[in-house]
Amino acid sequence: MNNFNDKKNKALKVLSEPKDSKLITYLNSCVHCGLCAESCMYYLTTKDERYIPAKKVELVSSIYRRYCTFTGKHFPKLTNARELDEELTEEMTDLLFGACTLCGRCTKHCSIGIDIAYLVREGRKMLTEMEIIPASLQSTVNAALTTGNNMSIPTEEFTDTLSWLEDELKDEVNDPNASIPLNVPDVNVLYTLNPREPKFFPLSISAMVKIFYAAKESWSLSTKMYDVTNYAYFTSNNGEAATIAQRLYDEVRKLNAKRCVLAECGHGSRAFRWEGPNYLMRTYPFEVLTSVELLAEYISQGRLKLDKEKNKELITLHDPCNLVREGGVVDEQRYVLKHAASRFVEMTPCGTDNFCCGGGGGQLAMSEYNERRMKNAEIKAEQIRKTGASIVVTPCHNCVDQLMQIDNKFKLGVKVMTLSEVVADAIILE
Amino acid sequence: MFENKVPTKLFTNMEIDGKEFQVDGDGFLSDPYIWNEEVARLFAKYDGIEELTEKHWAIINFIRKNWEEKGMAPMIRSICQITGVKLKEIYQLFPLGPARGACRVAGLPKPDGCV
Ligand code: SF4
Ligand code: SF4
């Protein structure tokens, strides 16, 4: 039992010694208006009230009241304050890990602006302090920590893959000197990858290297640290998240690149660009941007010549939650598609109000909650079906995988592509 | 006792054509060693692949062999180079991709990462 008490005390420190003043404000603010309910896919697809975002907030704030407020300490029943016991940790695990994609849609709809997804992450942090973490999620973090990438790809296999892709590039652009530069210092752009690209889905690498070639970019990949993902963001283990972010930081510094460009990866962009400075407690002495912004920049500066008639099929766009709601990268992907594709249709809703694909927040990796994830997917499937599009484009590899599963399960008959793949298909080489 | 509450991999039963299999939440076989060709056929059918062609088998067998020898799924490059199947064709043969599609049919545990 002592064991549990030790862990409990560690978890309570998340609330009693908050790292951020907004935590307490948010924990004290919910007015129970219920407006957030309709924003959450988990609630919408099941009508199960446990899934209402405010209930997730309540889990964390009831503990806060019990241990950190006068009335809660002395009259817990009066304030619905709850003891952090095993039963509650099970409930928290089930709802905060198992029933939230950290999509942030509820945050946007909350009548008083509570950052609900942030409170869910703080709740996850408490569980992580107690070492209660879904096994599938932690094993991906461990793979990254011990092997340098989250799919444990050996360096030799990685370089073999790149030289194979380099041969394809030479063929594609009909230039025997075309190359994929590795570990080159002092370049303009150090590019990153989601390990699933070299491992299983390299079309997006082929697309980006063709784009760099066409834009005559000075760029490189690192064979030591190229992984854009950071699964410790999902477990809210800030120490581990910092270790992973630090590695990328060090590699950009070592190679002395001017810009670090993040591959099409929503949570990875968030973890390095927007959360990273907090994890590392420093600002970056180099520029960090997403590949979506880079593509928009190339097009606006005339560095890519595109023929949008090369992409004739009707395309729709799925906005990754982290890019639109956290990063404010909303117009760039539309600007790119306007120039790279001839027929485009929006989903409803879209942009900052878009629904999550269902695979965010680490859900894609957590087989424990697979059934719920695919139940949520009903919403995205319907959204896609209504557009009538035959291609769904999304600048996030995690979303790509979830969308492929949605396509298969709901028999949509659509093709899923990344943004760079659409752009690469439209390129005219001089 | 408390440790047991930590969520570990949960397994459920999945039925295909009257046959029961113990799988993880994503439908990957809980015990990769009970895999055989019939499992492959049934898992493929579950994903909507009615018939496994020679190319399917070349991919499945190579993935299986790589996993048995090296303990992990092979890189897509090796799959293409060893089986001679073109990259884009692999995605057509296995609509869920090499991981959730081919590796699952080959009886491997689910790979880590964004798959
Ligand atoms: S962040 Fe998204 S999934 Fe989580 S509670 Fe809010 S709306 Fe629901
Ligand atoms: S919308 Fe905000 S204030 Fe209203 S119930 Fe939900 S979390 Fe509470």
Side-chain angles (χ1 to χ4, degrees):
Chain A
M1 216 46 207
N2 266 339
N3 192 4
F4 183 78
N5 272 332
D6 288 351
K7 288 181 173 174
K8 177 171 138 184
N9 289 335
K10 277 170 109 185
L12 290 175
K13 279 204 177 137
V14 173
L15 302 177
S16 60
E17 296 169 17
K19 298 269 182 297
D20 197 326
S21 60
K22 67 181 186 186
L23 175 63
I24 306 307
T25 313
Y26 291 148
L27 285 171
N28 280 316
S29 312
C30 177
V31 294
H32 310 288
C33 67
L35 264 181
C36 52
E38 301 286 321
S39 54
C40 183
M41 307 170 293
Y42 286 92
Y43 176 68
L44 287 176
T45 51
T46 61
K47 296 290 167 193
D48 183 339
E49 294 194 352
R50 291 180 311 140
Y51 294 152
I52 293 176
K55 300 266 183 190
K56 297 165 190 166
V57 169
E58 177 60 16
L59 281 178
V60 185
S61 41
S62 67
I63 305 170
Y64 172 76
R65 287 195 298 272
R66 172 67 185 81
Y67 297 96
C68 307
T69 67
F70 178 81
T71 36
K73 276 183 202 162
H74 300 282
F75 315 102
K77 290 233 166 61
L78 279 184
T79 57
N80 285 326
R82 289 182 69 181
E83 191 86 28
L84 180 58
D85 54 16
E86 293 182 27
E87 192 193 320
L88 184 52
T89 59
E90 271 177 59
E91 213 177 307
M92 287 170 76
T93 309
D94 189 53
L95 293 173
L96 306 183
F97 272 117
C100 178
T101 67
L102 306 179
C103 74
R105 197 163 183 272
C106 50
T107 297
K108 197 179 157 255
H109 289 244
C110 172
S111 57
I112 53 170
I114 296 176
D115 191 342
I116 301 168
Y118 164 74
L119 291 182
V120 171
R121 283 162 54 212
E122 291 299 296
R124 286 189 183 189
K125 192 187 278 172
M126 294 174 72
L127 294 166
T128 291
E129 288 290 343
M130 302 178 83
E131 294 162 44
I132 305 174
I133 307 159
S136 46
L137 205 52
Q138 188 59 40
S139 77
T140 298
V141 177
N142 292 347
L145 289 172
T146 54
T147 72
N149 70 82
N150 78 359
M151 294 187 96
S152 305
I153 301 171
T155 308
E156 201 191 319
E157 302 262 22
F158 180 62
T159 48
D160 284 353
T161 296
L162 292 173
S163 74
W164 172 60
L165 294 173
E166 189 175 78
D167 290 342
E168 305 254 309
L169 174 70
K170 291 185 204 304
D171 278 355
E172 171 76 20
V173 301
N174 202 6
D175 176 355
N177 295 320
S179 74
I180 300 181
L182 300 181
N183 307 319
V184 179
D186 308 322
V187 286
N188 198 24
V189 167
L190 180 70
Y191 191 54
T192 53
L193 299 171
N194 183 315
R196 79 180 230 123
E197 298 178 81
K199 183 87 195 186
F200 293 130
F201 296 92
L203 289 175
S204 49
I205 305 180
S206 293
M208 269 319 274
V209 301
K210 183 178 170 187
I211 291 166
F212 285 136
Y213 175 86
K216 302 189 175 58
E217 183 63 274
S218 128
W219 76 286
S220 182
L221 274 171
S222 156
T223 54
K224 185 162 170 253
M225 178 58 193
Y226 55 85
D227 187 350
V228 70
T229 72
N230 193 336
Y231 269 57
Y233 164 73
F234 297 136
T235 58
S236 293
N237 186 325
N238 289 9
E240 291 179 347
T243 303
I244 293 169
Q246 182 73 45
R247 284 186 190 156
L248 185 53
Y249 177 94
D250 290 343
E251 198 60 12
V252 182
R253 293 297 277 161
K254 193 186 91 197
L255 290 173
N256 192 32
K258 283 203 192 71
R259 317 171 101 178
C260 173
V261 175
L262 305 167
E264 297 176 76
C265 177
H267 92 275
S269 297
R270 176 167 189 166
F272 193 67
R273 178 161 174 196
W274 298 301
E275 306 285 343
N278 297 332
Y279 291 147
L280 300 179
M281 289 181 277
R282 72 199 312 167
T283 52
Y284 298 141
F286 44 81
E287 192 189 350
V288 182
L289 70 164
T290 63
S291 51
V292 179
E293 293 159 285
L294 183 72
L295 291 173
E297 184 188 291
Y298 283 162
I299 295 171
S300 72
Q301 294 177 350
R303 289 177 71 178
L304 288 180
K305 246 190 146 174
L306 304 179
D307 175 7
K308 61 180 181 180
E309 292 307 318
K310 287 184 163 193
N311 287 314
K312 281 200 163 62
E313 284 182 59
L314 185 60
I315 290 182
T316 190
L317 171 71
H318 165 72
D319 283 300
C321 304
N322 284 308
L323 288 192
V324 291
R325 275 188 283 269
E326 175 67 18
V329 179
V330 182
D331 298 334
E332 287 85 347
Q333 51 272 46
R334 291 171 169 77
Y335 174 82
V336 170
L337 283 173
K338 206 175 103 194
H339 289 85
S342 49
R343 297 172 65 219
F344 173 67
V345 55
E346 289 278 14
M347 288 183 195
T348 321
C350 61
T352 54
D353 201 29
N354 192 32
F355 277 103
C356 177
C357 61
Q363 293 303 337
L364 193 73
M366 290 188 265
S367 16
E368 294 87 345
Y369 311 109
N370 195 52
E371 240 179 88
R372 290 180 191 165
R373 170 167 66 85
M374 292 315 289
K375 175 81 186 152
N376 275 342
E378 284 172 6
I379 293 186
K380 188 52 61 182
E382 227 6 71
Q383 272 192 293
I384 295 172
R385 208 192 297 276
K386 280 195 186 136
T387 64
S390 55
I391 295 178
V392 185
V393 172
T394 188
C396 172
H397 292 284
N398 189 86
C399 298
V400 164
D401 212 271
Q402 171 77 352
L403 292 169
M404 281 169 62
Q405 291 175 58
I406 292 176
D407 172 52
N408 191 267
K409 176 167 179 194
F410 297 91
K411 309 211 170 2
L412 300 177
V414 293
K415 190 172 162 196
V416 185
M417 295 174 81
T418 66
L419 191 63
S420 59
E421 287 168 42
V422 177
V423 171
D425 283 349
I427 287 180
I428 314 170
L429 292 167
E430 338 234 80
Chain B
M1 37 154 212
F2 171 66
E3 273 71 16
N4 296 336
K5 298 278 162 56
V6 178
T8 48
K9 265 209 151 157
L10 300 174
F11 294 112
T12 52
N13 285 332
M14 180 176 82
E15 201 198 293
I16 318 171
D17 273 9
K19 293 242 153 71
E20 286 248 325
F21 298 98
Q22 200 188 44
V23 293
D24 76 1
D26 286 292
F28 285 75
L29 214 52
S30 67
D31 176 6
Y33 293 99
I34 66 153
W35 181 88
N36 58 29
E37 295 197 348
E38 197 201 357
V39 176
R41 262 190 290 272
L42 290 170
F43 274 32
K45 195 169 167 195
Y46 187 86
D47 288 344
I49 305 169
E50 282 305 325
E51 174 129 31
L52 289 175
T53 63
E54 218 170 282
K55 283 180 181 169
H56 284 109
W57 281 116
I59 296 167
I60 294 166
N61 289 330
F62 173 63
I63 290 178
R64 189 75 201 170
K65 187 164 159 266
N66 194 90
W67 179 76
E68 278 165 8
E69 285 168 7
K70 300 184 188 165
M72 61 173 134
M75 305 288 287
I76 188 76
R77 171 194 68 87
S78 312
I79 302 178
C80 288
Q81 288 181 333
I82 301 282
T83 64
V85 182
K86 288 242 175 332
L87 180 59
K88 288 195 177 165
E89 205 182 342
I90 293 182
Y91 301 128
Q92 284 161 7
L93 292 169
F94 293 97
L96 286 170
R100 283 186 190 262
C103 288
R104 197 181 75 89
V105 170
L108 271 59
K110 183 177 174 287
D112 287 329
C114 298
V115 289

